[in-house]
Amino acid sequence: MINPISSPGDPIFYLHHTWLDKVWWGWQALDLPARLSDISGRNVQDAVPTSPGNSTSSPTAGKPWRLSRRDGDPGNTTTLNHVLHMYGMTPNVTIADVMDIGGGYLCYEYV
């Protein structure tokens, strides 16, 4: 599931993402007005460990993994303006665009 182009071909991809969407919906339902702007946290992970599947010759081994900083947040903290890159599958959006599952960009609900 790590490859953004081929991962939708893996059936577990859909189970994983639909469950995350339901958890997200449940969290938002607790206080929707507050949840639409409630975001924080680092967008830099600790160094990628070396392992048999990730040898030291890997370009990412031992280096911090970071969300793209080409657009949006110039720092290490995620904000609503952070751009989510969609790898050409659809236009890029910001986190603010997708915070509300019943909003303009996304529109679905659980019953």
Coordinates of all heavy atoms in Angstrom, one line a residue, residues 11-73:
P11 N -6.9 -5.0 -2.6 CA -8.2 -5.0 -1.9 C -8.1 -4.4 -0.5 O -9.0 -3.8 0.0 CB -8.6 -6.4 -1.9 CG -7.9 -7.0 -3.1 CD -6.6 -6.3 -3.1
I12 N -7.0 -4.6 0.2 CA -6.9 -4.1 1.6 C -6.9 -2.6 1.6 O -7.3 -2.0 2.6 CB -5.6 -4.7 2.3 CG1 -5.7 -4.5 3.8 CG2 -4.4 -4.1 1.8 CD1 -6.5 -5.5 4.5
F13 N -6.5 -2.0 0.5 CA -6.5 -0.5 0.4 C -7.9 0.0 0.8 O -8.1 1.0 1.5 CB -6.1 -0.1 -1.0 CG -6.3 1.4 -1.3 CD1 -5.2 2.2 -1.1 CD2 -7.4 1.9 -1.9 CE1 -5.3 3.6 -1.4 CE2 -7.6 3.2 -2.2 CZ -6.5 4.1 -1.9
Y14 N -9.0 -0.6 0.2 CA -10.3 -0.1 0.4 C -10.8 -0.4 1.8 O -11.5 0.5 2.4 CB -11.3 -0.7 -0.7 CG -10.9 -0.2 -2.0 CD1 -10.2 -1.0 -2.9 CD2 -11.3 1.1 -2.4 CE1 -9.8 -0.5 -4.1 CE2 -10.9 1.6 -3.7 CZ -10.2 0.7 -4.5 OH -9.8 1.2 -5.8
L15 N -10.5 -1.5 2.3 CA -10.9 -1.8 3.7 C -10.2 -0.8 4.7 O -10.9 -0.3 5.6 CB -10.5 -3.2 4.1 CG -11.3 -4.3 3.4 CD1 -10.7 -5.7 3.7 CD2 -12.7 -4.3 3.7
H16 N -9.0 -0.6 4.5 CA -8.2 0.4 5.3 C -8.8 1.8 5.2 O -9.1 2.4 6.2 CB -6.7 0.3 4.8 CG -5.9 1.4 5.5 ND1 -5.4 1.3 6.7 CD2 -5.4 2.6 5.0 CE1 -4.7 2.4 7.0 NE2 -4.7 3.1 5.9
H17 N -9.0 2.3 4.0 CA -9.5 3.6 3.9 C -10.9 3.8 4.3 O -11.3 4.9 4.8 CB -9.2 4.1 2.5 CG -7.8 4.5 2.3 ND1 -7.3 5.7 2.8 CD2 -6.7 3.9 1.8 CE1 -6.0 5.8 2.5 NE2 -5.6 4.7 1.9
T18 N -11.8 2.9 4.1 CA -13.1 3.0 4.5 C -13.2 3.0 6.0 O -14.0 3.8 6.6 CB -14.1 2.0 3.9 OG1 -13.6 0.7 4.2 CG2 -14.3 2.2 2.4
W19 N -12.4 2.2 6.7 CA -12.4 2.3 8.1 C -11.9 3.6 8.7 O -12.4 4.2 9.6 CB -11.6 1.1 8.7 CG -11.6 1.1 10.2 CD1 -10.5 1.4 11.0 CD2 -12.7 1.0 11.1 NE1 -10.8 1.4 12.3 CE2 -12.2 1.1 12.4 CE3 -14.0 0.7 10.9 CZ2 -13.0 1.0 13.5 CZ3 -14.8 0.6 12.0 CH2 -14.3 0.7 13.3
L20 N -10.8 4.1 8.1 CA -10.3 5.4 8.5 C -11.3 6.5 8.3 O -11.5 7.4 9.1 CB -9.0 5.7 7.7 CG -7.8 4.9 8.1 CD1 -6.6 5.4 7.3 CD2 -7.4 5.1 9.6
D21 N -12.0 6.4 7.1 CA -13.1 7.4 6.9 C -14.2 7.4 7.9 O -14.7 8.4 8.4 CB -13.7 7.2 5.5 CG -12.8 7.6 4.4 OD1 -11.8 8.3 4.6 OD2 -13.1 7.2 3.2
K22 N -14.5 6.1 8.4 CA -15.6 6.0 9.4 C -15.1 6.6 10.7 O -15.8 7.2 11.5 CB -16.0 4.6 9.6 CG -17.2 4.5 10.6 CD -17.8 3.2 10.6 CE -19.0 3.1 11.6 NZ -18.9 3.8 12.8
V23 N -13.9 6.3 11.1 CA -13.3 6.8 12.3 C -13.2 8.3 12.3 O -13.6 9.0 13.2 CB -11.9 6.2 12.6 CG1 -11.2 6.9 13.7 CG2 -12.0 4.7 12.9
W24 N -12.8 8.9 11.1 CA -12.8 10.3 11.0 C -14.2 10.9 11.1 O -14.4 11.9 11.8 CB -12.3 10.6 9.6 CG -12.2 12.1 9.2 CD1 -13.0 12.8 8.5 CD2 -11.1 13.0 9.7 NE1 -12.6 14.1 8.4 CE2 -11.4 14.2 9.1 CE3 -10.0 12.8 10.4 CZ2 -10.6 15.4 9.3 CZ3 -9.2 13.9 10.7 CH2 -9.5 15.2 10.1
W25 N -15.2 10.3 10.5 CA -16.6 10.8 10.6 C -17.0 10.7 12.1 O -17.7 11.7 12.5 CB -17.5 9.9 9.7 CG -18.9 10.1 10.0 CD1 -19.7 11.1 9.5 CD2 -19.8 9.3 10.8 NE1 -21.0 11.0 9.9 CE2 -21.1 9.9 10.7 CE3 -19.6 8.2 11.5 CZ2 -22.2 9.3 11.4 CZ3 -20.7 7.6 12.2 CH2 -22.0 8.2 12.1
G26 N -16.7 9.7 12.8 CA -17.1 9.6 14.2 C -16.5 10.7 15.0 O -17.1 11.3 15.9
W27 N -15.2 11.0 14.8 CA -14.5 12.0 15.5 C -15.1 13.4 15.2 O -15.4 14.2 16.1 CB -13.0 12.0 15.1 CG -12.2 13.1 15.7 CD1 -11.8 13.1 17.0 CD2 -11.7 14.2 15.0 NE1 -11.0 14.3 17.2 CE2 -11.0 15.0 16.0 CE3 -11.8 14.7 13.7 CZ2 -10.3 16.1 15.6 CZ3 -11.2 15.9 13.4 CH2 -10.5 16.6 14.4
Q28 N -15.4 13.6 13.9 CA -16.0 14.9 13.5 C -17.4 15.1 14.1 O -17.8 16.2 14.5 CB -16.0 15.1 12.0 CG -14.7 15.4 11.4 CD -14.9 15.9 10.0 OE1 -15.7 15.3 9.2 NE2 -14.2 16.9 9.6
A29 N -18.2 14.0 14.2 CA -19.5 14.1 14.7 C -19.6 14.5 16.1 O -20.6 15.0 16.6 CB -20.2 12.7 14.5
L30 N -18.5 14.4 16.9 CA -18.5 14.8 18.3 C -18.6 16.3 18.4 O -19.2 16.8 19.4 CB -17.2 14.3 19.0 CG -17.1 12.8 19.1 CD1 -15.7 12.5 19.6 CD2 -18.2 12.2 19.9
D31 N -18.1 17.1 17.5 CA -18.2 18.6 17.5 C -17.7 19.1 16.2 O -16.6 19.6 16.0 CB -17.3 19.1 18.6 CG -17.4 20.6 18.8 OD1 -18.2 21.2 18.1 OD2 -16.7 21.1 19.7
L32 N -18.6 19.0 15.2 CA -18.2 19.4 13.8 C -17.7 20.8 13.7 O -16.6 20.9 13.0 CB -19.4 19.2 12.8 CG -19.1 19.4 11.4 CD1 -18.0 18.5 10.9 CD2 -20.3 19.3 10.5
P33 N -18.3 21.8 14.2 CA -17.7 23.2 14.0 C -16.2 23.3 14.5 O -15.4 23.9 13.8 CB -18.6 24.1 14.8 CG -19.9 23.4 14.8 CD -19.5 21.9 14.9
A34 N -15.9 22.7 15.6 CA -14.6 22.7 16.1 C -13.6 21.8 15.3 O -12.5 22.1 15.1 CB -14.5 22.3 17.6
R35 N -14.1 20.7 14.9 CA -13.3 19.7 14.2 C -12.9 20.1 12.8 O -11.9 19.6 12.2 CB -14.0 18.3 14.0 CG -14.4 17.7 15.3 CD -13.2 17.3 16.2 NE -13.5 16.3 17.1 CZ -13.4 16.5 18.4 NH1 -13.0 17.6 18.9 NH2 -13.7 15.6 19.3
L36 N -13.6 21.1 12.2 CA -13.2 21.5 10.8 C -11.9 22.3 10.8 O -11.4 22.5 9.7 CB -14.4 22.3 10.2 CG -15.7 21.5 9.9 CD1 -16.7 22.4 9.3 CD2 -15.4 20.3 9.0
S37 N -11.5 22.8 11.9 CA -10.2 23.5 11.9 C -9.2 23.0 13.0 O -8.2 23.6 13.2 CB -10.5 25.0 12.3 OG -11.1 25.1 13.5
D38 N -9.5 21.8 13.5 CA -8.7 21.2 14.5 C -7.6 20.4 13.9 O -7.8 19.2 13.6 CB -9.6 20.4 15.5 CG -8.9 19.9 16.7 OD1 -7.7 20.3 16.9 OD2 -9.5 19.1 17.5
I39 N -6.4 20.9 13.7 CA -5.3 20.2 13.1 C -4.0 20.8 13.7 O -3.9 21.9 13.9 CB -5.3 20.3 11.6 CG1 -4.3 19.3 11.0 CG2 -5.1 21.7 11.1 CD1 -4.5 19.1 9.6
S40 N -3.1 19.9 13.9 CA -1.8 20.3 14.3 C -0.9 19.1 14.2 O -1.3 18.0 13.8 CB -1.8 20.8 15.8 OG -2.1 19.7 16.6
G41 N 0.4 19.3 14.5 CA 1.3 18.2 14.5 C 2.4 18.3 13.5 O 2.4 19.1 12.6
R42 N 3.4 17.6 13.7 CA 4.6 17.6 12.8 C 4.3 16.9 11.5 O 3.5 16.0 11.4 CB 5.7 16.8 13.5 CG 6.3 17.3 14.7 CD 7.3 16.4 15.4 NE 8.3 16.0 14.4 CZ 9.1 15.0 14.6 NH1 9.2 14.4 15.7 NH2 10.0 14.7 13.6
N43 N 5.0 17.4 10.4 CA 4.9 16.8 9.2 C 6.2 16.2 8.8 O 6.5 15.9 7.6 CB 4.3 17.7 8.1 CG 5.1 18.9 7.8 OD1 6.3 18.9 8.1 ND2 4.5 19.9 7.2
V44 N 7.0 15.9 9.8 CA 8.3 15.3 9.6 C 8.4 14.1 10.5 O 8.1 14.2 11.7 CB 9.5 16.2 10.0 CG1 10.8 15.5 9.8 CG2 9.4 17.5 9.1
Q45 N 8.6 12.9 10.0 CA 8.8 11.7 10.8 C 10.2 11.5 11.1 O 11.1 12.1 10.5 CB 8.3 10.5 9.9 CG 7.1 9.9 10.4 CD 6.7 8.7 9.5 OE1 6.2 8.9 8.4 NE2 7.0 7.5 9.9
D46 N 10.4 10.7 12.1 CA 11.8 10.3 12.5 C 12.4 9.6 11.3 O 11.8 9.2 10.3 CB 11.8 9.4 13.7 CG 11.3 10.1 14.9 OD1 11.5 11.4 15.0 OD2 10.8 9.5 15.8
A47 N 13.7 9.4 11.4 CA 14.5 8.7 10.3 C 13.9 7.4 9.9 O 13.4 6.6 10.8 CB 15.9 8.6 10.7
V48 N 13.9 7.0 8.7 CA 13.4 5.7 8.2 C 14.4 4.7 8.6 O 15.6 4.8 8.3 CB 13.3 5.7 6.7 CG1 12.9 4.3 6.2 CG2 12.3 6.8 6.2
P49 N 14.0 3.7 9.4 CA 15.0 2.7 9.9 C 15.5 1.8 8.7 O 14.8 1.6 7.7 CB 14.2 1.9 10.9 CG 12.8 2.0 10.5 CD 12.7 3.4 9.8
T50 N 16.7 1.3 8.9 CA 17.2 0.3 8.0 C 16.7 -1.0 8.4 O 16.6 -1.3 9.6 CB 18.7 0.4 7.9 OG1 19.3 0.1 9.2 CG2 19.2 1.7 7.4
S51 N 16.4 -1.9 7.5 CA 15.9 -3.2 7.8 C 16.2 -4.1 6.5 O 16.6 -3.5 5.5 CB 14.4 -3.2 8.1 OG 13.7 -2.8 6.9
P52 N 15.9 -5.4 6.6 CA 16.2 -6.2 5.5 C 15.4 -5.7 4.2 O 15.9 -5.8 3.1 CB 15.7 -7.6 5.9 CG 15.8 -7.6 7.4 CD 15.5 -6.2 7.8
G53 N 14.2 -5.2 4.4 CA 13.4 -4.7 3.3 C 13.7 -3.3 2.9 O 13.3 -2.7 1.9
N54 N 14.6 -2.6 3.7 CA 14.9 -1.2 3.5 C 16.4 -1.1 3.8 O 16.8 -0.7 4.8 CB 14.1 -0.3 4.4 CG 14.4 1.2 4.2 OD1 15.1 1.5 3.2 ND2 14.0 2.0 5.1
S55 N 17.2 -1.5 2.8 CA 18.7 -1.6 3.0 C 19.3 -0.2 3.1 O 18.7 0.8 2.8 CB 19.3 -2.3 1.9 OG 19.3 -1.6 0.7
T56 N 20.5 -0.2 3.6 CA 21.2 1.1 3.7 C 21.4 1.8 2.4 O 21.8 3.0 2.3 CB 22.5 0.9 4.5 OG1 23.3 0.0 3.8 CG2 22.3 0.5 5.9
S57 N 21.3 1.0 1.3 CA 21.5 1.6 0.0 C 20.2 2.4 -0.5 O 20.2 3.1 -1.5 CB 21.9 0.6 -1.0 OG 20.8 -0.4 -1.2
S58 N 19.1 2.2 0.2 CA 17.9 2.9 -0.1 C 18.1 4.4 0.1 O 18.7 4.8 1.0 CB 16.8 2.4 0.8 OG 15.6 3.2 0.7
P59 N 17.6 5.2 -0.9 CA 17.7 6.6 -0.7 C 17.1 7.2 0.5 O 17.4 8.3 0.9 CB 17.1 7.2 -2.0 CG 16.3 6.1 -2.6 CD 16.8 4.8 -2.0
T60 N 16.1 6.5 1.1 CA 15.4 7.1 2.3 C 15.9 6.5 3.6 O 15.6 7.0 4.6 CB 13.9 6.8 2.2 OG1 13.7 5.4 2.0 CG2 13.3 7.5 1.0
A61 N 16.7 5.4 3.5 CA 17.2 4.8 4.8 C 18.0 5.8 5.6 O 18.9 6.4 5.2 CB 18.0 3.6 4.4
G62 N 17.6 5.9 6.9 CA 18.3 6.7 7.8 C 18.0 8.2 7.7 O 18.6 9.0 8.4
K63 N 17.1 8.6 6.8 CA 16.8 10.0 6.5 C 15.4 10.3 7.0 O 14.5 9.4 7.0 CB 16.9 10.3 5.1 CG 18.3 10.2 4.5 CD 18.3 10.5 3.0 CE 19.7 10.3 2.5 NZ 19.8 10.5 1.0
P64 N 15.1 11.5 7.5 CA 13.8 11.9 7.9 C 12.8 11.8 6.7 O 13.2 12.2 5.6 CB 13.9 13.3 8.4 CG 15.3 13.6 8.5 CD 16.1 12.6 7.7
W65 N 11.6 11.3 6.9 CA 10.6 11.3 5.9 C 9.8 12.6 6.1 O 9.4 12.9 7.2 CB 9.8 10.1 6.0 CG 8.7 10.0 5.0 CD1 8.8 9.5 3.7 CD2 7.3 10.5 5.2 NE1 7.6 9.6 3.1 CE2 6.7 10.2 4.0 CE3 6.6 11.1 6.2 CZ2 5.3 10.6 3.8 CZ3 5.3 11.4 6.0 CH2 4.7 11.2 4.8
R66 N 9.4 13.3 5.1 CA 8.7 14.5 5.2 C 7.6 14.6 4.2 O 7.8 14.2 3.1 CB 9.7 15.7 5.1 CG 9.3 17.0 4.7 CD 10.5 17.9 4.5 NE 11.7 17.7 5.2 CZ 12.0 18.2 6.4 NH1 11.2 19.0 7.0 NH2 13.2 17.8 7.0
L67 N 6.5 15.2 4.6 CA 5.4 15.5 3.6 C 6.0 16.6 2.7 O 6.9 17.3 3.0 CB 4.2 16.1 4.3 CG 3.4 15.1 5.2 CD1 2.3 15.9 5.9 CD2 2.8 14.0 4.4
S68 N 5.5 16.6 1.5 CA 6.1 17.5 0.5 C 6.0 18.9 1.0 O 5.0 19.4 1.5 CB 5.3 17.4 -0.8 OG 5.7 18.4 -1.7
R69 N 7.1 19.7 0.8 CA 7.1 21.1 1.2 C 7.2 22.0 -0.1 O 7.6 23.1 0.0 CB 8.3 21.3 2.1 CG 8.1 20.7 3.4 CD 9.3 20.7 4.3 NE 9.7 22.0 4.6 CZ 10.7 22.3 5.4 NH1 11.4 21.3 6.0 NH2 11.1 23.5 5.6
R70 N 6.9 21.4 -1.2 CA 6.9 22.3 -2.5 C 5.8 23.3 -2.4 O 6.0 24.4 -2.9 CB 6.6 21.4 -3.7 CG 7.8 20.4 -4.0 CD 7.5 19.6 -5.1 NE 6.5 18.6 -4.7 CZ 6.0 17.6 -5.4 NH1 6.3 17.6 -6.7 NH2 5.1 16.8 -4.9
D71 N 4.7 23.0 -1.8 CA 3.6 23.9 -1.6 C 3.1 23.9 -0.2 O 3.4 23.0 0.5 CB 2.4 23.5 -2.5 CG 2.7 23.5 -4.0 OD1 3.3 24.5 -4.5 OD2 2.5 22.5 -4.7
G72 N 2.4 24.9 0.2 CA 1.8 24.9 1.6 C 2.8 25.1 2.6 O 3.6 26.0 2.5
D73 N 2.8 24.4 3.7 CA 3.6 24.6 4.8 C 5.1 24.7 4.5 O 5.6 23.7 4.1 CB 3.4 23.5 5.9 CG 1.9 23.5 6.3 OD1 1.3 24.5 6.4 OD2 1.5 22.4 6.7

